[in-house]
Amino acid sequence: MLLIADSLNFKVKRVGANGNISTIAGNGQSASAGNGGSATAASLAEPADVFGAADGSIYISNLRNGGIRVVSAGGSIGNFSSGTFDNPVSLYPLPDGGFLIVRKFARIVSRVNGAAITPFAGISSSDGIGDGGPAESAKFFSPLGVVVAANGDVFVGDFKDVRVRRIRNGVISTVGTAQGEALAFDSKGRLHATNGSGVLRIEADGSSTRIAGTGVAGFSGDGSVANTARLQFAEGLVFDAADTMYIADTRNHRVRRVDGTTGIITTFAGNGVAGYGGDGGAATAAQLDFPRGLALGADGTLYIADSDNNRVRAVGRDGVIRTFAGTGATTFEGEGGLATGTGLPTPMDVAVDRAGTVFISGAARTWAVDGERRIRTIAGTGAFGFSGDGGAGPKARLFGGRAMDVDANGVVYVVDTSNQRVRRLEPIGPAKGLVHSASFQVGAIAPGQILSLFGDGFGPAEGAGAVLGPDGVLLTTIGGVQVTFNDVPGPIFFTNRTQVNVQAPYELAGADFATIKVISGGVTRTTLVSAVVAAAPAIYSLSGGKGQIVALNQSGALNGPTAPAKGGEVLVFFASGDGQLSPAGRTGVPAAAPLATTALTVAVEIGGRPARVLYGGPAPGFVGLMQLNVLVPEEAEVGAAVPIVLRVGTQGSPAGSTVAIGR
C-alpha cells in the first residue's frame, strides 16, 4: 500500500495493491476540522507527510496549522496531541513504534514515543541571545513581525522565542512576550502583537492584555467583542487613525475589523472560502487565499498581501476590492512595468510610505510600486540565499521576506526569516560624497559620466594624474587607487588623498543602480550606492557648475560678456553625463568624432529658444567629455548672461548656466 500526501488538494490518498487510488482523509477544503468523524469528511490544512503505523493507524502532518492528525484503523480522525509543531514538514517512523517530526520553523527534530514528545536534534530557543548588546550581534529564532515606532525604534517579533524585541540606537532588548507574527502601533503609541490566534497589547511593564481572539484557533464572533471571537493564525495587523484594527485572519481566509470605539469585530474582507474572486465587488463577498500582511494608505485604502493568490489586493473606502499587483503567476518578469501585469511570487507583507509608494515583500524579493503603478525590485535576486550586505539591494539574496515596514525617512526594514536576520534597505538615490564633475551637484549618475568623489585616505598626498596604457586606453588604476562600479573599474583622471576624478563605465547602461567602491592599496576605503539613469547632463562652466559656461564662439574666441556669440553663428561648448553612445562606447577609449554620437536625442535651448544641434557626442580625444556644436538662434535674446539648457533624452541640465549673446 502506498500513501500520498496530496498537499494542495488537501487530501491523503492510498494506492492499493491492485493499483487503484482512493481518498482516505480530507474533503478538499483547506482547514482543520472534522475530528471525531469520518476522515474523508474532515478538512486538512495542507498535509505535508504521512505514514502508516503497525496498528493500522495513519499519521498525517498538517503543515499549515502545525498539527498532527491520526486516522484510526476504523477510518475516524482526531488530533495526535493538543499542541502544534511549527510547520511539521516530515514524519519518520521508528522501529520502536515511535516517530520523528521535522519542525521547519523551530529548526528542530522532535521524537515521539507514545504520549511523550522529547527533543531529538537542534535547539528549541535562542533565549534572547544578545539582549543588552549590539543588535547586529544578537540571535533571532525565526523572526516574523517588524514595525518601526515614530521615534525610529525598530520592534521585531522573535516568533520561536516568543519575545518581542526592540532595537534602539543599535542596542537590542526584550520588551514583552508574544509570538509576534505581526506588530503594529495604535494612535496612542501602544504596541500590539499577534500571538497565534489572538492579538495582544504589550504594556509598558512587559505584561500583555488580550485585545482580540480567545487564543483558540477557529472562526467565530462576528458582531461580538473581539476578545471573545476566534481567529485562526493571525499574520497581519494594522491600525487606522481612529484606532480601528484590521487583522489578517490568515487561515480563515479573511480580514477582520475591530471597531476602535466599541471593540466589536466583523469581517472586512473575504468570505472564508480559499480562492481568488470578487474583484470589483464588495470585499466581504470576495475570496482570499491565506492573506498575510496588511498596510493602510493615506487615503484609507487597505492593502492585503493575498499570499497564495500571488497578488496584492486593495480595498478602498467604498468597500470594493480590486487587484493592486500580481497576475496570479508565480514568476516575476515585470521589472519596470505595471504591477498588475506580472507574477508576484507569494507576497508576504505590504507597507506604504508617506509618498504613497507601496512596498511588497516576498520570499526572495522585495518590490516597490510607485504612483504610476509601476513595479521595480529594491532587494533580492529571486534566488534564495544570503548575500549582499553593504551593496545594492537588487544584487542581494534573501531567504524569507516574511514581514516589512518603512520609516519616515523611506528606510525599509525586511524580516529575512530563514536567514534569522532583519535587513535594512536605504533608498537608492544620490550618493553623499559623489558629485557631477560639471555641475558639482549630487545626483543620479549616467554611463560614461565624469565624476568626482570626495573622502579621505584615497590616493597619494602629492596626487597622481591620468596615464594611458600601451594600447592607448586610460588606466583604471593610478597611484594605487581603483574605483569600481558594480565591480567594473572606471578610468581615473586624477587622485590624491581626498579626491578621485573618474569616468563611470559605459557598462552601466541599462542598470538601475551602481555600487561604487574606492579601493586604495587593495583596501576598500569607501562604498557608495547611487541610482543610475540613462543621462545626467550638465554643462561645464567657469565657476563650478553655474554662470558663464566654457564655450567657444565661431571665431575661436572664448565666449563671455566682451566676446558674445551672435545669432546664426556656431557655438561650441562642453558637457558630461550624456549616457551611452552610438555605436556603444568603450570605457576609457577616446571616441573619434564624428564616428560616434550620443545615443539619446539631444536638444539645446538658448534664452528659451531652440538652437539647432549640429553635433552632440564625444569631444575628439577626450574620454567622457561631450561636445556640442549648435547654431545660435537668430531670435535669441541678447545679454551677458542668457540662460542655456541642455537636454539629453528626458533629462535636462541644472538651471543656472548662462552664455553671452550679442548682435
Side-chain angles (χ1 to χ4, degrees), residues 366-385:
T366 301
W367 300 273
V369 181
D370 63 22
E372 296 181 349
R373 301 286 183 88
R374 295 192 175 276
I375 191 167
R376 61 186 174 88
T377 301
I378 62 169
T381 63
F384 293 109

Side-chain angles (χ1 to χ4, degrees), residues 465-484:
V467 178
L468 290 176
D471 55 0
V473 175
L474 202 64
L475 295 184
T476 57
T477 301
I478 63 170
V481 177
Q482 185 180 70
V483 181
T484 63

Side-chain angles (χ1 to χ4, degrees), residues 568-579:
E569 293 185 346
V570 176
L571 181 74
V572 178
F573 62 97
F574 304 92
S576 186
D578 52 321

Side-chain angles (χ1 to χ4, degrees), residues 63 85-90 101-109 141-142 160 399 418 420:
L63 184 67
F85 296 96
D86 325 304
N87 278 45
V89 294
S90 300
I101 306 172
V102 178
R103 302 165 64 179
K104 178 181 176 182
F105 280 175
R107 295 177 178 267
I108 61 175
V109 179
F141 198 43
S142 289
K160 298 314 303 175
F399 197 172
S418 295
Q420 309 295 339

Side-chain angles (χ1 to χ4, degrees), residues 68-369:
I68 306 295
R69 310 286 288 279
V70 183
V71 180
S72 70
S76 64
I77 193 169
N79 284 337
F80 164 70
S81 76
S82 60
T84 58
F85 296 96
D86 325 304
N87 278 45
V89 294
S90 300
L91 305 176
Y92 292 91
L94 298 172
D96 62 6
F99 61 94
L100 301 178
I101 306 172
V102 178
R103 302 165 64 179
K104 178 181 176 182
F105 280 175
R107 295 177 178 267
I108 61 175
V109 179
S110 296
R111 181 187 181 104
V112 177
N113 249 324
I117 303 171
T118 56
F120 181 78
I123 60 171
S124 61
S125 175
S126 68
D127 295 323
I129 292 174
D131 273 359
E136 61 185 17
S137 301
K139 290 187 181 296
F140 289 111
F141 198 43
S142 289
L144 290 187
V146 66
V147 68
V148 184
N151 66 355
D153 289 354
V154 178
F155 292 78
V156 183
D158 199 355
F159 179 71
K160 298 314 303 175
D161 276 338
V162 194
R163 297 168 181 258
V164 177
R165 303 173 80 179
R166 178 182 65 201
I167 302 168
R168 172 178 288 176
N169 297 325
V171 176
I172 193 168
S173 61
T174 295
V175 297
T177 301
Q179 289 177 314
E181 299 97 324
L183 306 172
F185 288 99
D186 64 15
S187 67
K188 300 178 179 65
R190 296 177 297 186
L191 179 65
H192 293 70
T194 58
N195 192 61
S197 294
V199 178
L200 305 178
R201 184 170 66 222
I202 308 296
E203 309 292 355
D205 61 1
S207 63
S208 60
T209 302
R210 183 170 294 279
I211 303 300
T214 63
V216 178
F219 176 76
S220 68
D222 269 5
S224 63
V225 178
N227 60 10
T228 65
R230 285 194 178 187
L231 310 172
Q232 190 160 205
F233 295 91
E235 297 186 25
L237 188 65
V238 70
F239 286 88
D240 68 14
D243 280 342
T244 294
M245 178 170 59
Y246 298 86
I247 307 166
D249 193 357
T250 301
R251 295 178 190 181
N252 281 322
H253 311 292
R254 300 172 186 253
V255 175
R256 313 284 287 275
R257 178 186 185 275
V258 180
D259 188 274
T261 301
T262 65
I264 300 297
I265 191 170
T266 54
T267 292
F268 179 79
N271 62 11
V273 178
Y276 173 71
D279 269 8
T284 51
Q287 288 178 284
L288 304 173
D289 200 349
F290 287 94
R292 289 189 166 91
L294 303 175
L296 274 167
D299 63 354
T301 298
L302 181 74
Y303 297 92
I304 305 167
D306 195 2
S307 292
D308 282 19
N309 277 323
N310 302 302
R311 292 173 168 93
V312 171
R313 314 282 286 278
V315 182
R317 287 187 181 276
D318 57 2
V320 174
I321 191 169
R322 298 175 177 85
T323 292
F324 175 80
T327 61
T330 57
T331 57
F332 175 73
E333 297 175 345
E335 195 69 53
L338 291 175
T340 50
T342 182
L344 201 65
T346 318
M348 303 295 286
D349 202 5
V350 281
V352 186
D353 69 9
R354 291 179 174 180
T357 301
V358 177
F359 299 91
I360 306 167
S361 65
R365 272 194 177 100
T366 301
W367 300 273
V369 181

Side-chain angles (χ1 to χ4, degrees), residues 388-396 428-429 431 434 445 451 453 482-490 504-505 508 511-519 524 526-532:
D389 273 4
K395 296 183 71 175
I428 295 177
L434 177 70
I445 66 174
L451 303 163
L453 292 100
Q482 185 180 70
V483 181
T484 63
F485 298 75
N486 291 348
D487 299 324
V488 177
L508 290 180
D512 294 321
F513 58 88
T515 300
I516 305 164
K517 297 180 181 179
V518 180
I519 303 167
T524 300
T526 190
T527 299
L528 307 171
V529 178
S530 176
V532 176

